[in-house]
Amino acid sequence: MDNSSDSIEERHRNSLYLLAAVCTIFMTLAIAVQPLFLRNVIGVSFEYAGVINANIQVITEILDLGLIFYLGYLSDRFGRVPIAMFGFLAAAAGALIAPFSLQLGALIGIGGLAIYYLARIIMSLGTGAVWPQLSALAGDFTGFKERPRFIANTAFMMALGATLVYAVLMQIPKHAGLVAIMLLTVVVALIGAWLVKHFLIDVAPKLKDEGIPWKRIRKLLIREERLRLSFAAAFFARSDMVFIGLFLMLWFIYFSDLVAIDHESAAAYAGILIGFVGLVVLLSIPVWARVIERSGRVAAIASGMALSGFGFALMGFIVNPFDWFIIIPLALVAIGQAGCLIAPQVLVFDLTPKEIRGSVLGTYNVVGGIGIVFFVQVGGWLFDAVGPHAPFVFIGIANLTLTCYALWVLRGNIKTRAPVDPDLEQELEEAESAI
């Protein structure tokens, strides 16, 4: 059964692809600029860099958790499009405050760091309202057969956006300064709001029952171990690219003092390297779409987590981040992350009734957000207490542990299933031999 409606046109799907890139550019740019801004403008020292940068990420994620879940429920009731549009506008407001944190902090008398915290919180709450709705629309626009390809294309655009940030946009501070690149995020968010308003539509059936469908969500999780695996993958893997963007950039900026390289050049060098990660993700995504179609969603999750975990573990052998050897583990992480980005989300869409998709996806994203909070907070402490390589080794061990669980789920009966909801019976008949 096809989820799509006659009202869905090619321009709607293409607009969703473009918005996936726009939203990712905004979120990635906010994270990429953060270490450089805190070091050069706010004046955060090396001794506290890991904890402070991690704390900002953790605080924004914690505040996002309840919002993301509740907005998922509201999107089932009232639609995804208005929530995404207002989310972009809120993100633009926060982005406008961020570059002037030091001046505003001095004016108000509470310090520039506190204002920057506030700006990042507003930005994060805004994007927290946007990207879950875009993800839900990707499920709304597709049926079972075309879903892996469509989600892969959406992920491709997300990776393209992240690659553009690190390979191109992060070169701007060397030439035009930090304020210019930070104000660019405002423009990006406003473009996103305009695109949502004019080029997206809601097609999913509205949830008529008032109140969050807790019982139906719990029933799904109890009955479907594959859904539980998807949630576990969100917890373990959602922080992977945050780690690359935050801790690798931190490593380069603060290690540059030891090799007599200025911070802007170190950030640009790190940006090129992270751009390489994004490029590898881009090239890997079409391959993962075929893997999901041929081998199944669960097998793809297991393979992606294994490659990512092994790559992160190899980072433990890196002493100097400017050494060329770092390319090898980063390439493995990128290949694995591409699979982890697509397969769990496709599986969630496959196993979720359309009218509660927003609520289930909200729960899924909350679990992923909790994972980011946990791994980034521990990673920040490890960065300061053990060394720059420690956060990567830690998350590598975690990903390899999840690989074992995925292989257990993959055991013997992967081609048998029972529908989780009567509304899914017709669609899931097509899936019996595919997951």
Side-chain angles (χ1 to χ4, degrees):
M1 183 176 69
D2 197 336
N3 259 6
S4 61
S5 164
D6 291 339
S7 60
I8 301 175
E9 301 174 6
E10 197 62 28
R11 65 189 179 94
H12 298 132
R13 294 187 174 92
N14 291 337
S15 298
L16 189 60
Y17 293 149
L18 179 58
L19 279 160
V22 169
C23 187
T24 305
I25 288 171
F26 183 93
M27 293 190 297
T28 306
L29 196 54
I31 294 174
V33 170
Q34 180 177 299
L36 195 59
F37 182 80
L38 292 179
R39 178 69 181 88
N40 287 7
V41 178
I42 303 298
V44 174
S45 66
F46 175 79
E47 288 78 11
Y48 304 104
V51 168
I52 290 177
N53 278 273
N55 280 347
I56 292 175
Q57 194 67 32
V58 166
I59 289 173
T60 57
E61 289 293 338
I62 290 175
L63 293 175
D64 278 351
L65 294 181
L67 176 73
I68 288 173
F69 176 78
Y70 189 65
L71 289 180
Y73 160 68
L74 289 182
S75 75
D76 286 334
R77 293 292 312 280
F78 306 111
R80 334 274 193 211
V81 172
I83 294 174
M85 185 185 69
F86 286 112
F88 267 126
L89 293 175
L96 186 60
I97 295 172
F100 308 109
S101 298
L102 198 62
Q103 295 89 333
L104 291 172
L107 181 65
I108 299 174
I110 62 174
L113 185 59
I115 296 295
Y116 185 74
Y117 266 73
L118 176 63
R120 287 286 286 113
I121 288 170
I122 296 172
M123 293 164 70
S124 183
L125 291 175
T127 55
V130 174
W131 61 263
Q133 311 313 318
L134 300 182
S135 297
L137 284 168
D140 296 339
F141 285 2
T142 55
F144 182 85
K145 288 183 178 179
E146 73 270 18
R147 186 166 292 139
R149 187 69 54 182
F150 188 84
I151 299 300
N153 291 342
T154 305
F156 182 91
M157 293 302 294
M158 293 172 63
L160 180 63
T163 302
L164 178 65
V165 168
Y166 286 110
V168 179
L169 300 184
M170 280 305 293
Q171 310 309 311
I172 292 177
K174 286 198 304 183
H175 308 288
L178 273 172
V179 173
I181 189 65
M182 295 177 78
L183 288 178
L184 181 60
T185 60
V186 181
V187 177
V188 170
L190 292 175
I191 291 173
W194 183 82
L195 288 171
V196 169
K197 180 178 180 181
H198 293 283
F199 293 99
L200 289 186
I201 59 171
D202 282 305
V203 296
K206 300 295 190 296
L207 180 64
K208 295 181 173 58
D209 298 334
E210 294 186 7
I212 299 171
W214 293 112
K215 291 183 179 179
R216 296 184 69 182
I217 296 173
R218 182 170 59 87
K219 181 180 178 181
L220 282 172
L221 287 170
I222 291 173
R223 182 162 183 168
E224 267 295 345
E225 65 181 354
R226 283 160 290 194
L227 192 61
R228 295 196 298 273
L229 172 63
S230 296
F231 275 56
F235 180 83
F236 281 86
R238 272 277 303 281
S239 61
D240 285 5
M241 293 311 291
V242 175
F243 257 63
I244 294 295
L246 179 60
F247 289 114
L248 194 64
M249 184 65 71
L250 268 174
W251 196 351
F252 272 89
I253 289 173
Y254 286 89
F255 196 87
S256 66
D257 293 333
L258 302 178
V259 292
I261 297 176
D262 64 88
H263 297 144
E264 287 79 8
S265 297
Y269 190 93
I272 292 173
L273 196 58
I274 300 171
F276 162 76
V277 172
L279 179 62
V280 175
V281 171
L282 282 174
L283 297 176
S284 303
I285 284 173
V287 177
W288 280 108
R290 296 298 298 269
V291 170
I292 294 170
E293 291 172 347
R294 291 174 176 267
S295 301
R297 280 70 159 156
V298 176
I301 293 174
S303 301
M305 295 301 301
L307 288 168
S308 177
F310 185 59
F312 274 121
L314 282 179
M315 294 287 284
F317 295 95
I318 303 295
V319 176
N320 180 358
F322 292 91
D323 192 328
W324 68 268
F325 176 75
I326 200 172
I327 292 175
I328 297 174
L330 288 179
L332 290 173
V333 169
I335 295 170
Q337 179 62 23
C340 298
L341 188 65
I342 304 169
Q345 191 171 172
V346 172
L347 196 51
V348 170
F349 290 144
D350 291 341
L351 301 173
T352 304
K354 294 184 288 295
E355 72 275 11
I356 63 167
R357 181 170 286 148
S359 299
V360 174
L361 195 61
T363 309
Y364 170 82
N365 289 325
V366 166
V367 171
I370 294 172
I372 292 176
V373 169
F374 173 75
F375 285 108
V376 171
Q377 188 68 70
V378 174
W381 177 81
L382 289 172
F383 186 95
D384 294 335
V386 180
H389 65 282
F392 301 102
V393 175
F394 172 66
I395 201 168
I397 294 172
N399 287 357
L400 291 174
T401 302
L402 185 63
T403 302
C404 297
Y405 175 55
L407 292 173
W408 181 80
V409 173
L410 193 61
R411 70 200 187 283
N413 62 350
I414 59 173
K415 291 188 177 182
T416 60
R417 66 177 296 112
V420 296
D421 187 280
D423 294 336
L424 288 173
E425 288 183 10
Q426 186 178 348
E427 182 175 358
L428 292 180
E429 283 175 0
E430 302 175 352
E432 297 223 347
S433 62
I435 298 180

